[in-house]
Amino acid sequence: MEMKQDLDQQQSPSPAGDHDFPVPPPQRRLRGFAASVSGGGGGAVATKGRKEREREKERTKLRERHRRAITSRMLTGLRQYGNFLLPARADMNDVLAALAREAGWIVQPDGTTYRQSPALASSIPADVPPVQFVICSFSAYNHTQAALLRIDETLSPASFGSVVAERNIKNDKCASTSPVNSRESFEPDQLNREHAHDNAECAGTSYVSIYALLSSGMMNTYCQLVNPVAVRQELRHLESLNVDGVIVHCWWGVVEGWNPGKYDWSGYRDLFNIIREFKLKLQVVMAFHESGGNSSGDISISLPKWVLEIGKDNQDIFFTDREGRRSTECLSWGIDKARVLRGRTGVEVCYDFMRSFRTEFSDLIESRFISAVEIGLGASGELKYPSFPERMGWRYPGIGEFQCYDKYMQKNLRLAAKARGHLVWARGPDNAGHYNSRPDETRFFCDKGDYDSYYGRFFLHWYAQTLIDHADQILSLTNLAFEGIEIVVKIPAIYWWYRTSSHAAELTAGFHNPTNQDGYAAVFDMLKKHSVTMKFTSSQPQACVQINEGAFADPEALSWQVLNAAWERGLKVAAQSTLPRHARDTYIKILQIAKPKNDPDCHHLSFFAYNQQFPAIEMQREMISDLCSFIKTMHGEANDDIED
């Protein structure tokens, strides 16, 4: 009994004033994960915390993507405007080494860095920090610092001029945004001296052939030579300019214009015989597209009439945009393997046309009078989708629209999505804007837009791969038809919106070339497989400087990427351009592309083709003099005429 009383006393609570037992400390309030797993509304807190962690993870991804985009632009600028030979996958160590070497330092492979000589160290002003001196050396083309740093006069003129102002590069010690340093402020005699300097440096360099494009208006739609007298007169003027040859378009819509399988080459035979009289070389273009007749002297040439008749009953043989509008500029690549053209596929009609040409002009091919054959692979004869149709209302610098909504292309897209395991992706983007939209006006092309999502990357890869597969199939048959002849493929210059992250205009044209990916590598690998010559269309800007700046256009950076990617793969490279009436400054830029200065591999163009905006017989005396000087320089001859 006493034992039970003792136990009861031990179990009874202590009185308020009794301090025989220590008071337990107050419990800490739980935080973070512990609070989320405890009771009292923990589920809602856990959900909120998880969402916040996911948002922070996405923000981290976006910051990293933005950082990579900035790094890519910096590397592009260093390669193009500073002539830095950085590897394709350069890191910051490569950049620092290149900048240090430019400043006169020695950088060994293990990273050991030291000055070349004490004399160089004494030439650095005391008030200029070492890092700033490296930046100044890279920016040595800035005229305001000529007294501070010695400018290497062997640098390419592409590193000079208004490029600094256009990129808004501002540095108190090393740069100036004054318009005095821009090319627009140069006096005519300054341009003359610069051109003369380029001529002197190009003397004795590689020979670059010059070809002139003849007007399509020389041939009517019945394949008849319109005016042989005018043709001879034009060729006589071209001969006096010392051009190497001419380029003639052989139009599918003219030769096979009326009946399938019936080819009429009579007019081209007459034209080729006249060209042969002047001992000019000849390049021909297998033109499987329509011509709008925009250039001087050109006529409108459609696809063959029998093809258009088929298109009335089956409009899906043409490229189609999201609104269902059809482009009759060329056939859809969706019918490359579909027998919808009177029992033939899209690839077969191209092969039959080329084989007919080879049979008809075998004598001219065997005699090497025909030096090359260019293959039209898309809109305007270029390897691209017809994404910028003016008849649909497109105007520069619109982003264009995807052309993949005919039933044949949609079928191919469904097969690709099914193979990927995401059938819901079998659709074109519904937030990509319209022909004249800006990238920032769309949710697909804007910065951090859907173009870089899982679906966006899948769609753009399929869209670009369809372009590559089409060219691959045509070129495989081209090598059979024209074995032993130089084959040329024309690549477009889509330079507007190049300085944005998405490169929207290139994406709609079929080149998956956003900031974080090289969209030309796979194309050129395919061209290398067929040993073709890549001809780059170095078009002139389509608008004034203000509009091009608003469109984030960068033709120089695009040219650098395309030409170097082709040269790295061992491709022969050519170029084509339209020469305006006042072309002296244009000639200088073309020379910089044709014969890059300070190139250790001595790359140069195989040939240059120009499309005069007016016949040679209408050229003024001064214009003829400038063109002759340009041709002599491209031929590697010394020329002082420009100084007169």
Side-chain angles (χ1 to χ4, degrees):
M1 189 71 177
E2 293 178 356
M3 183 178 295
K4 182 178 181 180
Q5 291 177 352
D6 293 339
L7 291 173
D8 292 340
Q9 291 176 359
Q10 293 177 8
Q11 293 175 356
S12 61
S14 304
D18 192 356
H19 297 286
D20 293 338
F21 297 97
V23 179
Q27 292 185 349
R28 266 189 328 178
R29 183 166 61 89
L30 299 177
R31 300 176 182 272
F33 177 76
S36 66
V37 299
S38 65
V45 175
T47 302
K48 182 178 180 180
R50 185 167 57 253
K51 289 183 178 179
E52 180 61 31
R53 288 194 298 274
E54 290 176 354
R55 283 196 294 267
E56 179 60 29
K57 187 182 297 184
E58 289 298 321
R59 286 193 291 266
T60 301
K61 290 181 180 178
L62 293 176
R63 285 193 295 268
E64 178 63 18
R65 192 177 302 158
H66 182 62
R67 184 194 65 79
R68 290 198 303 267
I70 293 176
T71 302
S72 177
R73 294 191 185 99
M74 291 173 62
L75 294 175
T76 299
L78 289 172
R79 290 188 181 103
Q80 179 183 0
Y81 305 126
N83 291 329
F84 286 90
L85 300 178
L86 298 174
R89 298 184 179 277
D91 56 17
M92 294 312 297
N93 289 339
D94 298 317
V95 174
L96 289 174
L99 292 173
R101 293 189 182 101
E102 178 71 12
W105 293 62
I106 300 297
V107 181
Q108 295 181 349
D110 63 352
T112 303
T113 305
Y114 53 90
R115 288 194 179 98
Q116 186 172 9
S117 64
L120 178 63
S122 62
S123 67
I124 305 177
D127 60 339
V128 179
V131 175
Q132 191 172 3
F133 176 75
V134 173
I135 299 175
C136 286
S137 299
F138 162 68
S139 305
Y141 47 74
N142 189 298
H143 300 286
T144 60
Q145 293 298 313
L148 177 64
L149 295 171
R150 291 293 182 185
I151 298 177
D152 183 1
E153 295 182 355
T154 65
L155 289 176
S156 169
S159 305
F160 294 80
S162 60
V163 176
V164 181
E166 292 176 0
R167 299 295 175 275
N168 292 326
I169 298 176
K170 298 179 180 180
N171 187 286
D172 294 338
K173 291 284 184 181
C174 308
S176 171
T177 57
S178 170
V180 174
N181 296 324
S182 66
R183 178 176 290 276
E184 286 75 6
S185 66
F186 287 176
E187 296 296 333
D189 59 336
Q190 290 180 283
L191 284 177
N192 291 350
R193 289 193 297 270
E194 183 178 355
H195 197 171
H197 179 68
D198 289 340
N199 290 336
E201 292 191 347
C202 289
T205 58
S206 301
Y207 187 99
V208 178
S209 301
I210 302 294
Y211 285 82
L213 277 77
L214 295 185
S215 168
S216 62
M218 294 182 176
M219 201 76 58
N220 62 22
T221 56
Y222 296 94
C223 200
Q224 297 171 340
L225 193 59
V226 176
N227 191 343
V229 176
V231 171
R232 283 187 168 86
Q233 189 176 10
E234 179 70 10
L235 292 174
R236 190 172 294 108
H237 278 272
L238 291 175
E239 182 185 34
S240 67
L241 293 173
N242 200 28
V243 301
D244 296 271
V246 295
I247 299 177
V248 175
H249 283 74
C250 296
W251 296 97
W252 181 36
V254 171
V255 177
E256 196 184 1
W258 302 99
N259 295 294
K262 303 296 182 180
Y263 305 98
D264 182 5
W265 298 100
S266 58
Y268 287 104
R269 171 66 72 173
D270 296 337
L271 176 60
F272 295 168
N273 287 336
I274 295 176
I275 296 173
R276 203 173 188 180
E277 294 175 7
F278 292 89
K279 295 181 174 54
L280 295 172
K281 295 180 182 179
L282 174 64
Q283 292 187 10
V284 293
V285 180
M286 301 289 101
F288 299 106
H289 60 285
E290 70 175 14
S291 171
N294 295 326
S295 301
S296 175
D298 286 352
I299 61 173
S300 295
I301 299 174
S302 67
L303 297 183
K305 304 297 186 296
W306 59 272
V307 172
L308 298 180
E309 287 295 327
I310 296 175
K312 292 179 180 179
D313 299 326
N314 182 8
Q315 296 185 8
D316 286 289
I317 67 174
F318 303 120
F319 282 107
T320 308
D321 64 18
R322 186 173 182 81
E323 300 297 326
R325 291 168 292 193
R326 316 286 182 171
S327 171
T328 59
E329 186 172 356
C330 57
L331 293 176
S332 168
W333 301 332
I335 66 170
D336 279 354
K337 298 180 180 180
R339 296 190 177 279
V340 295
L341 301 174
R342 304 286 174 87
R344 293 186 294 172
T345 66
V347 170
E348 287 174 348
V349 295
C350 294
Y351 175 64
D352 290 345
F353 183 82
M354 293 185 290
R355 187 174 57 180
S356 173
F357 179 90
R358 176 63 187 254
T359 302
E360 177 68 25
F361 299 106
S362 59
D363 57 325
L364 302 183
I365 294 175
E366 292 172 359
S367 65
R368 299 296 179 180
F369 168 62
I370 297 178
S371 60
V373 177
E374 180 181 322
I375 309 301
L377 294 174
S380 303
E382 301 170 341
L383 182 56
K384 68 176 181 181
Y385 288 87
S387 303
F388 316 112
E390 294 186 2
R391 67 178 60 178
M392 303 291 187
W394 175 84
R395 295 295 181 270
Y396 178 84
I399 60 176
E401 290 191 24
F402 292 111
Q403 306 289 317
C404 60
Y405 293 94
D406 62 82
K407 66 181 182 181
Y408 302 102
M409 293 283 284
Q410 286 292 296
K411 178 182 177 181
N412 294 340
L413 178 57
R414 282 193 298 272
L415 292 175
K418 183 178 180 180
R420 180 68 181 269
H422 300 284
L423 196 56
V424 69
W425 287 354
R427 57 178 178 83
D430 56 4
N431 56 358
H434 303 287
Y435 285 111
N436 293 313
S437 298
R438 297 170 54 92
D440 54 10
E441 296 173 347
T442 72
R443 288 186 292 115
F444 191 82
F445 296 117
C446 65
D447 286 346
K448 307 172 187 177
D450 291 344
Y451 77 92
D452 204 25
S453 65
Y454 286 109
Y455 158 72
R457 290 194 293 271
F458 159 78
F459 172 79
L460 293 172
H461 173 76
W462 167 82
Y463 192 71
Q465 190 62 44
T466 300
L467 174 145
I468 295 174
D469 291 343
H470 167 73
D472 191 19
Q473 295 178 69
I474 297 294
L475 292 175
S476 296
L477 296 177
T478 299
N479 287 327
L480 294 177
F482 297 114
E483 185 178 0
I485 304 176
E486 181 179 4
I487 305 300
V488 181
V489 170
K490 187 158 61 173
I491 300 296
I494 306 173
Y495 51 81
W496 54 101
W497 308 116
Y498 188 86
R499 288 189 285 122
T500 61
S501 59
S502 63
H503 293 212
E506 290 175 275
L507 296 184
T508 60
F511 295 92
H512 191 192
N513 191 50
T515 303
N516 57 357
Q517 181 167 329
D518 185 356
Y520 296 92
V523 176
F524 292 159
D525 288 338
M526 178 271 299
L527 296 182
K528 177 62 177 178
K529 181 178 71 172
H530 297 288
S531 302
V532 305
T533 297
M534 190 279 291
K535 182 163 74 170
F536 183 58
T537 309
S538 53
S539 301
Q540 298 303 311
Q542 302 187 35
C544 62
V545 175
Q546 291 80 2
I547 295 179
N548 282 329
E549 188 66 25
F552 294 91
D554 200 340
E556 293 86 0
L558 174 64
S559 298
W560 181 92
Q561 179 186 0
V562 171
L563 296 179
N564 282 276
W567 277 324
E568 286 175 0
R569 285 159 179 80
L571 286 173
K572 293 177 65 176
V573 177
Q576 177 177 320
S577 180
T578 299
L579 300 183
R581 290 183 178 272
H582 303 285
R584 180 168 297 178
D585 199 23
T586 303
Y587 294 147
I588 296 174
K589 294 179 180 179
I590 294 173
L591 285 170
Q592 295 169 3
I593 295 175
K595 302 179 180 184
K597 297 180 181 178
N598 303 330
D599 187 346
D601 298 316
C602 300
H603 291 129
H604 61 85
L605 295 183
S606 172
F607 65 87
F608 174 76
Y610 74 92
N611 182 15
Q612 203 74 41
Q613 290 182 337
F614 44 91
I617 57 177
E618 298 180 8
M619 296 177 65
Q620 299 176 2
R621 186 171 183 177
E622 180 182 356
M623 298 161 59
I624 293 177
S625 175
D626 289 346
L627 181 56
C628 288
S629 300
F630 167 73
I631 293 174
K632 288 181 179 180
T633 307
M634 293 288 275
H635 287 170
E637 302 174 13
N639 173 52
D640 299 326
D641 294 344
I642 198 68
E643 294 182 303
D644 295 337

